[in-house]
Amino acid sequence: MAEILTPMDIDEETGDHGNNHYQRPNKGKNVVVADTKATPWVEKYRPLSLADVAAHRDIVDTIDRLTSENRLPHLLLYGPPGTGKTSTILAVARKLYGAQYHNMILELNASDDRGIEVVRQQIQDFASTQSFSFGAKSQVKLVLLDEADAMTKDAQFALRRVIEKYTKNARFALICNHVNKIIPALQSRCTRFRFAPLDPDHVDQRLKHVIESERLDVTDSGLAALVRLSNGDMRKALNILQVLR
Ligand SMILES: Nc1ncnc2c1ncn2[C@@H]1O[C@H](COP(=O)(O)OP(=O)(O)OP(=O)(O)O)[C@@H](O)[C@H]1O
Ligand SMILES: [Mg+2]
């Protein structure tokens, strides 16, 4: 099937930024809500289970099946912001580990300025201890490397070895926006899934759900404008909705 490229398709070739310290855009992850008691809706309405993840049915079903069959590969999830990559991995972790999930997942910002040595040490500390908390059988742990595209090439080569070393105990999930910044050697160790911008129908449905839950009064034309403005970025849609409420 042909893919329609939109401005949201930012994972294609984008040229080199020249150095590894380019400014990363604030993607609205740290949204400040005027009413300090209010939880940001992006968190309040984050899908808890794989079934709650909107769109990406084929991807989610595949990951769901692999998880059920205990055959989860290393993953590389890529695509534009606010499309459900982090949410999907966290839902996988909940499915695998239930209430134990905080002990079984290591969330690292791969672009950590302290470098690969710190990342390597944290992974080693985490992955080298086996967990037998699920009866006699030990379970693999999950290492989540967010913003993997901000890692230097050297760090990525180092990570390749780390992945190999701990494959017995851990599965790695690399998440990024720009897949072309991930070295082929790492890509080939992972099963890749591309998260496209959400189509307007899915954004519309999800927003309607939130509008109903929050008892908001939003006109049809207001909703349509918001869907258009969000451009397939569900985080953006929710942040705007919350600010405008
Ligand atoms: N497919 C989706 N279904 C339902 N909600 C979604 C989906 N994608 C994003 N959201 C909403 O947007 C928020 C941000 O999503 P998430 O953190 O999964 O994005 P991401 O793809 O990891 O983005 P980034 O590349 O910026 O890290 C979620 O908390 C959720 O509220
Ligand atoms: Mg994310």
Side-chain angles (χ1 to χ4, degrees), residues 131 140 143 162:
S131 167
V140 292
V143 180
V162 176

Side-chain angles (χ1 to χ4, degrees), residues 42-59:
V42 286
E43 287 312 325
K44 186 170 176 186
Y45 294 98
R46 190 190 279 283
L48 290 182
S49 71
L50 285 167
D52 292 338
V53 176
H56 317 306
R57 235 40 262 167
D58 45 349
I59 298 178

Side-chain angles (χ1 to χ4, degrees), residues 30-42:
N30 308 318
V31 65
V32 179
V33 180
D35 173 1
T36 50
K37 276 183 287 186
T39 322
W41 288 350
V42 286

Side-chain angles (χ1 to χ4, degrees), residues 29-93:
K29 288 181 176 175
N30 308 318
V31 65
V32 179
V33 180
D35 173 1
T36 50
K37 276 183 287 186
T39 322
W41 288 350
V42 286
E43 287 312 325
K44 186 170 176 186
Y45 294 98
R46 190 190 279 283
L48 290 182
S49 71
L50 285 167
D52 292 338
V53 176
H56 317 306
R57 235 40 262 167
D58 45 349
I59 298 178
V60 171
D61 288 348
T62 303
I63 293 179
D64 198 12
R65 182 170 44 79
L66 291 168
T67 308
S68 298
E69 294 168 356
N70 231 338
R71 294 195 298 129
L72 196 67
H74 301 306
L75 297 170
L76 173 55
L77 309 187
Y78 67 99
T83 52
K85 301 178 297 294
T86 300
S87 303
T88 297
I89 287 298
L90 294 179
V92 166

Side-chain angles (χ1 to χ4, degrees), residues 6-138:
T6 73
M8 284 293 293
D9 279 303
I10 58 170
D11 48 287
E12 78 267 29
E13 282 309 313
T14 52
D16 204 346
H17 286 263
N19 63 55
N20 295 304
H21 304 288
Y22 66 89
Q23 205 69 41
R24 283 189 295 282
N26 181 342
K27 295 185 286 188
K29 288 181 176 175
N30 308 318
V31 65
V32 179
V33 180
D35 173 1
T36 50
K37 276 183 287 186
T39 322
W41 288 350
V42 286
E43 287 312 325
K44 186 170 176 186
Y45 294 98
R46 190 190 279 283
L48 290 182
S49 71
L50 285 167
D52 292 338
V53 176
H56 317 306
R57 235 40 262 167
D58 45 349
I59 298 178
V60 171
D61 288 348
T62 303
I63 293 179
D64 198 12
R65 182 170 44 79
L66 291 168
T67 308
S68 298
E69 294 168 356
N70 231 338
R71 294 195 298 129
L72 196 67
H74 301 306
L75 297 170
L76 173 55
L77 309 187
Y78 67 99
T83 52
K85 301 178 297 294
T86 300
S87 303
T88 297
I89 287 298
L90 294 179
V92 166
R94 269 194 210 91
K95 174 175 169 134
L96 278 173
Y97 314 123
Q100 290 285 333
Y101 107 107
H102 289 295
N103 301 328
M104 297 296 282
I105 184 167
L106 176 66
E107 281 187 73
L108 295 173
N109 192 326
S111 62
D112 193 319
D113 288 337
R114 294 169 300 171
I116 185 67
E117 275 315 314
V118 174
V119 170
R120 202 201 311 250
Q121 189 61 47
Q122 283 176 298
I123 293 173
Q124 175 166 335
D125 294 346
F126 172 72
S128 58
T129 56
Q130 293 206 355
S131 167
F132 293 94
S133 50
F134 297 85
K137 201 169 125 275
S138 82

